[in-house]
Amino acid sequence: MATDALIGVLALQGDVVEHIAALQRTGARATAVKTPADLARVAALVVPGGESTTVMKLLDRFRLSRPIVERTRAGMPLWGTCMGMIVAAHAVVDLDQPTLDLIDITVRRNAFGRQNESAELDLEIPALGPAPYPAVFIRAPWIERMGPEVELLAERDGHGVMVREANVLATSFHPELTGDPRVHAYFLDMVERYTRQGKVLGAA
Amino acid sequence: MESTGTPTVKRGLAQMLKGGVIMDVVTPEHALIAQEAGAVAVMALERIPADIRAAGGVARMSSIELIQSIMDAVTIPVMAKVRIGHFAEAQVLQMLGIDYIDESEVLTPADERYHVDKHAFTTPFVCGARDLGEALRRIAEGAAMIRSKGEAGSGNIVEAVRHMRAIGDAIRDLSVAPKEELVARARDLGAPLELVKQVAQDGKLPVVLFCAGGVSTPADAALMMQLGAEGIFVGSGIFKSKDPKRFAKAIVDATTHFEDPKVVLEASRSLGTSEAMPGLDVRTLSEGELMATRGN
């Protein structure tokens, strides 16, 4: 479903241009978000792949944590990929790492291993149709615990790797690195529904 | 079916590091300072380039115990260096489970003619380049990430600027070159035609391009990012400065907001009166002292 909403991609660090290009290929308008003023212009936010340890520090340093939390709790659609899943999670297993606590999941970092275990594989994602999805996992997290309101959309080796709770979507893998537009389309569909329901609050 | 070590996952990790700073560290304590400052990865080595330069002799892959202790200390990816052409050092690092291997001119080359066949590895490689031809030769060998060479350990940005401009200029030239010129251009660059065609079409390298060599201040980082680097390696610039914690954080901030002089000003101001690392005039270095000219 098409949306004319402007989608932001958090641009403190990570694979930002890949997400912007994938969103544009999927028919959306997309822009980089580096400041609170940038955030105020967008109707939804993608938190891309990157280093979660780094980006959590930069979010605080450049005063983006609070407005992102406030907007998302007020209904702004948010999608985190890999690092973005960790940033959005309630907590990280075995690490005293701060997160934004936007979705009721606890994640394990580098759960499948270090870089040598990074892999491409076909993933069953029933919500996207019968054709398997070409998923790219890079030093990826998995979901170790999820709350009752969280919908499991895909798993790998018995662990959740794609979940959704209301306006928040999280994937362990990187749809922005493949040519398959279905996860981006799924998110845009979420954005369209939340926009239509008038639930995107706080946009300037 | 799971496929590991594919070009997508090897190049992909470099894509996740974009916009970030990778710092040379020689102890787990340094690694924690780097991580706390916001580094996206660390390069584990026994001596930073300025000290390798001072020590002379043969510089080799660092001790495994040191690299392991740094891997255990931080959650961000850890890279380590091997000598140019030393594929057995690379095999050891791959077995150790390092996240990225730097086939580096900072160490003493093991092979004067050939680089490592990087396609043979699951672990991704980053390699240095002074110009587009060198970058494409490394990519043809399987490098999943390219960095400028600069002149490591010099504290002097001039060589990195030369290399970034050379790569950028050559890419811009190719992107407007008529199709019939591409074979001759590939010959002149000393690079495979397929890669030359790809660069001509995309107007960019097929892998991520970072700057390395000589970055010592927040403004140096902002300069290189505005010249087209997608991220920054800092070798001696942090731990040879008078206040590594502040320098590390200031260089991260300036890299993140490289296009915003207000942030670069604040980052520069945050250094107070602490001094950057001492620099070298690279024109006074003899041929044998230059690191950038190692490799081909």
Side-chain angles (χ1 to χ4, degrees), chain B residues 200-261:
Chain B
Q201 191 186 321
D202 300 344
K204 61 187 284 299
L205 289 182
V207 303
V208 167
L209 173 63
F210 268 48
C211 164
V215 174
S216 346
T217 67
D220 283 349
L223 171 70
M224 299 317 297
M225 293 295 284
Q226 290 182 58
L227 284 177
E230 296 178 285
I232 302 287
F233 282 89
V234 189
S236 317
I238 289 169
F239 291 102
K240 276 285 161 188
S241 72
K242 294 281 188 246
D243 190 341
K245 276 186 196 170
R246 282 201 211 180
F247 267 82
K249 178 175 171 294
I251 289 175
V252 169
D253 288 0
T255 302
T256 306
H257 285 284
F258 66 89
E259 76 293 49
D260 184 349

Side-chain angles (χ1 to χ4, degrees), chain A residues 12-15 17-18 34 50-51 53-54 57 61-62 109 114-116 118-120 138-139 156 174 177, chain B residues 2-3 6 8-9 15-18 35-40 75 77 94 97 99 123 253 256-257 259:
Chain A
L12 293 175
Q13 188 273 313
D15 69 336
V17 296
E18 290 82 348
K34 270 192 166 182
E51 281 307 313
T53 315
T54 305
K57 291 179 200 306
R61 229 179 261 172
F62 295 107
R109 284 189 57 187
R114 298 185 74 104
Q115 173 62 13
N116 286 342
S118 292
E120 293 182 68
I138 297 174
R139 284 172 49 100
R156 173 184 170 196
H174 294 279
L177 296 186
Chain B
E2 285 184 30
S3 320
T6 62
T8 301
V9 299
Q15 287 168 281
M16 301 312 145
L17 303 178
K18 283 195 294 183
Q35 177 168 276
E36 186 55 35
V40 289
T75 56
Q94 169 164 290
D99 294 301
T123 310
D253 288 0
T256 306
H257 285 284
E259 76 293 49

Side-chain angles (χ1 to χ4, degrees), chain B residues 36-58:
Chain B
E36 186 55 35
V40 289
V42 290
M43 177 77 70
L45 67 178
E46 266 165 12
R47 292 198 187 109
I48 55 177
D51 291 337
I52 291 175
R53 200 175 271 293
V58 174

Side-chain angles (χ1 to χ4, degrees), chain B residues 53-135:
Chain B
R53 200 175 271 293
V58 174
R60 314 179 182 92
M61 175 180 76
S62 296
S63 89
I64 296 303
E65 188 177 323
L66 173 81
I67 297 171
Q68 181 76 61
S69 69
I70 288 169
M71 288 168 67
D72 293 341
V74 294
T75 56
I76 53 180
V78 178
M79 304 182 165
K81 291 181 192 296
V82 300
R83 284 176 267 180
I84 289 173
H86 205 316
F87 53 83
E89 283 185 345
Q91 289 162 353
V92 168
L93 288 184
Q94 169 164 290
M95 192 51 67
L96 178 66
I98 199 86
D99 294 301
Y100 238 94
I101 297 170
D102 183 6
E103 187 181 18
S104 178
E105 70 282 1
V106 168
L107 304 184
T108 310
D111 192 321
E112 294 184 327
R113 291 197 64 186
Y114 303 111
H115 287 247
V116 173
D117 169 24
K118 293 162 277 284
H119 293 293
F121 289 80
T122 303
T123 310
F125 278 71
V126 55
C127 289
R130 286 161 294 178
D131 53 41
L132 181 61
E134 195 173 7

Side-chain angles (χ1 to χ4, degrees), chain A residues 81-106:
Chain A
T81 58
C82 195
M83 173 265 274
M85 173 190 267
I86 299 165
V87 166
H90 167 69
V92 182
V93 179
D94 290 346
L95 283 176
D96 182 23
Q97 178 172 341
T99 59
L100 296 185
D101 191 13
L102 299 171
I103 180 168
D104 190 12
I105 57 174
T106 302

Side-chain angles (χ1 to χ4, degrees), chain A residues 47-64:
Chain A
V47 182
E51 281 307 313
S52 60
T53 315
T54 305
V55 166
M56 279 307 304
K57 291 179 200 306
L58 296 176
L59 280 168
D60 284 343
R61 229 179 261 172
F62 295 107
R63 297 186 179 82
L64 276 159

